């Protein structure tokens, strides 16, 4: 409690909420409270918050659009930052530079407006630039690693580093940012000159495919599981007869077996229970382990 008062006094100009339910921000509409939830508007504010956390030995959690996240119902201790207010996008020649909190979808729109092709695959990925770099997000044959040439990151000891493509060490849903606990501040996208109408047509086409296959009308966190080598997670889940399986308000989607949708006031615990059941059932039937793609963070709720 003492710390809570302190941070509000130390940084009266930064938007900070105490004991704020993260279910208000996650795409699954689930998750417990953040002790301290800050919305920095600039890299300077981000650095001030990081200094504060380091000085007070508070754990730091960074969130973008919360579209690939399950926050456990016990919430997150320490300082949590949501970066969606740091969102400038600029374009010069074939480059687009976007700050971490910019919506990836807005970056695809900026690229299209500047007749730049290469980012159409991301037109429907509902994450932020920071989350997309962190996850090496991808769809329809494209991945962030194909278009991002470098990123500016903040190290845990509060230094700004410029990482080139090699240093980002991209892999399937992986980047080096994960290993070094860095905060992505911005990313540079190198694209190719194209025809604006053609780019728009391709984005519309991919978004139509997405709408036909994915349960976009219900809260979810996208594909819950990574693609296991030699298989498709959705097919294994479908073949195991798990579509429609439900615990509490969390249900394996009838429309896309790789999604778990919030159909009735689900909790994060409901999500985790469905995930565990799906993993066990698929393993028992096919001896394939489904690893989660969704990031699971925070603490379990306290038992009474
Ligand atoms: C309907 C739907 C469809 C989706 N389709 C796709 C798809 O086609 N392809 C795909 O790859 N994903 C997809 N996703 C998942 C998600 O959109 C991506 O993983 C996205 O990249 C996550 O970005 P985010 O900003 O929401 O990250 P968050 O969910 O906020 O965070 C995810 C992880 O990234 C970390 N992180 C976020 N921002 C930063 C930062 N600035 N610095 C350091 N770490 C950070 C967080 O700590 C967390 O570990 C989908 C999700 C939904 C809900």
């Amino acid at each position: 409690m003492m710390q809570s008062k302190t941070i509000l006094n130390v940084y009266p100009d930064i938007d900070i909420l105490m004991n704020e339910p993260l279910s208000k921000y996650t795409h699954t509409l689930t998750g417990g409270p953040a002790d301290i939830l800050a919305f920095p508007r600039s890299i300077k504010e981000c650095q001030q918050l990081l200094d504060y956390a380091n000085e007070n030995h508070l754990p730091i959690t960074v969130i973008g659009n919360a579209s690939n996240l399950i926050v456990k119902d016990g919430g997150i201790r320490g300082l949590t930052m949501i970066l969606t207010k740091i969102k400038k996008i600029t374009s010069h020649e074939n480059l687009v530079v976007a700050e971490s909190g910019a919506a990836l979808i807005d970056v695809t729109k900026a690229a299209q407006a500047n007749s730049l092709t290469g980012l159409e695959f991301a037109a429907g990925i509902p994450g932020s630039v920071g989350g997309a770099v962190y996850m090496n997000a991808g769809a329809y044959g494209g991945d962030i690693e194909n278009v991002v040439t470098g990123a500016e990151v903040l190290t845990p000891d509060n230094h700004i580093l410029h990482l080139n493509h090699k240093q980002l060490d991209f892999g399937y849903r992986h980047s080096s940012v994960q290993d070094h606990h860095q905060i992505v501040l911005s990313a540079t996208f190198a694209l190719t000159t194209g025809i604006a109408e053609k780019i728009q047509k391709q984005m519309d086409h991919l978004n139509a495919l997405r709408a036909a296959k994915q349960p976009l009308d219900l809260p979810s966190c996208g594909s819950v599981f990574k693609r296991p080598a030699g298989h498709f997670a959705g097919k294994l889940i479908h073949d195991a007869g798990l579509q429609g399986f439900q615990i509490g308000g969390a249900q394996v989607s009838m429309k896309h077996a790789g999604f778990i949708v919030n159909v009735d006031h689900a909790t994060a615990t409901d999500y985790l229970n469905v995930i565990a059941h799906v993993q066990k059932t698929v393993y028992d039937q096919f001896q394939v382990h489904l690893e989660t793609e969704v990031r699971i963070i925070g603490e379990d709720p306290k038992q009474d």
Side-chain angles (χ1 to χ4, degrees):
M1 259 323 186
M2 245 183 65
Q3 272 159 355
S4 347
K5 287 212 173 86
T6 319
I7 192 164
L8 294 175
N9 295 341
V10 176
Y11 299 118
D13 295 335
I14 303 182
D15 296 335
I16 297 173
L17 300 169
M18 308 306 296
N19 199 29
E20 174 73 352
L22 288 163
S23 53
K24 285 163 77 172
Y25 305 91
T26 58
H27 273 237
T28 58
L29 306 183
T30 68
D35 284 357
I36 306 171
L37 183 62
F39 298 84
R41 273 162 305 191
S42 64
I43 290 169
K44 186 172 162 232
E45 286 190 354
C46 223
Q47 288 195 285
Q48 288 175 327
L49 289 163
L50 187 55
D51 267 343
Y52 179 88
N54 285 343
E55 278 161 21
N56 291 281
H57 309 289
L58 296 177
I60 275 266
T61 303
V62 179
I63 295 178
N65 256 350
S67 64
N68 194 44
L69 213 51
I70 292 176
V71 178
K72 292 185 186 178
D73 291 320
I76 304 180
R77 306 290 75 81
L79 174 68
T80 303
M81 290 196 234
I82 291 191
L83 301 187
T84 47
K85 290 191 176 173
I86 307 176
K87 57 176 185 183
K88 201 163 66 189
I89 302 173
T90 53
S91 168
H92 178 66
E93 296 179 346
N94 70 323
L95 300 181
V96 178
V97 179
E99 289 186 329
S100 61
L104 191 58
I105 289 173
D106 288 342
V107 183
T108 66
K109 287 180 186 162
Q112 187 278 338
N114 287 286
S115 302
L116 293 173
T117 179
L119 200 50
E120 293 88 331
F121 74 88
I125 299 179
S128 68
V129 166
V133 170
Y134 181 94
M135 293 299 301
N136 187 19
Y140 302 110
D143 287 301
I144 282 297
E145 67 176 302
N146 306 137
V147 282
V148 163
T149 52
E152 198 172 61
V153 301
L154 200 56
T155 62
D157 58 355
N158 220 342
H159 291 100
I160 294 178
L161 289 183
H162 297 269
L163 302 182
N164 62 28
H165 187 273
K166 187 161 182 270
Q167 290 166 320
L168 282 164
D169 191 27
F170 287 117
Y172 175 55
R173 301 294 170 260
H174 171 270
S175 69
S176 64
V177 178
Q178 295 176 10
D179 308 327
H180 303 298
H181 308 287
Q182 294 158 336
I183 301 174
V184 178
L185 299 175
S186 68
T188 301
F189 298 78
L191 303 168
T192 313
T193 302
I195 299 163
E197 293 74 30
K198 225 174 129 188
I199 297 166
Q200 186 61 53
K201 225 173 146 191
Q202 177 66 354
M203 285 164 53
D204 291 345
H205 169 63
L206 295 181
N207 279 339
L209 286 183
R210 197 178 272 276
K213 293 227 165 105
Q214 299 181 359
L216 301 182
D217 53 330
L218 289 168
S220 80
C221 49
S223 294
V224 174
F225 302 101
K226 289 184 181 173
R227 194 175 55 236
H231 300 274
F232 289 102
K235 178 157 179 5
L236 292 170
I237 297 166
H238 168 84
D239 292 350
L242 285 165
Q243 279 187 282
F245 176 80
Q246 185 170 339
I247 296 178
Q251 184 191 69
V252 178
S253 167
M254 296 299 293
K255 190 166 178 182
H256 186 311
F259 281 52
I260 298 175
V261 285
N262 181 349
V263 288
D264 185 14
H265 306 92
T267 61
T269 307
D270 294 339
Y271 262 85
L272 297 177
N273 288 337
V274 172
I275 288 172
H277 179 79
V278 168
Q279 285 174 320
K280 182 174 183 320
T281 308
V282 166
Y283 190 81
D284 287 349
Q285 291 200 23
F286 307 112
Q287 290 72 55
V288 177
H289 174 64
L290 290 180
E291 193 189 331
T292 49
E293 172 171 329
V294 62
R295 311 297 292 197
I296 299 164
I297 61 174
E299 294 184 356
D300 290 319
K302 287 207 173 69
Q303 306 288 343
D304 295 323

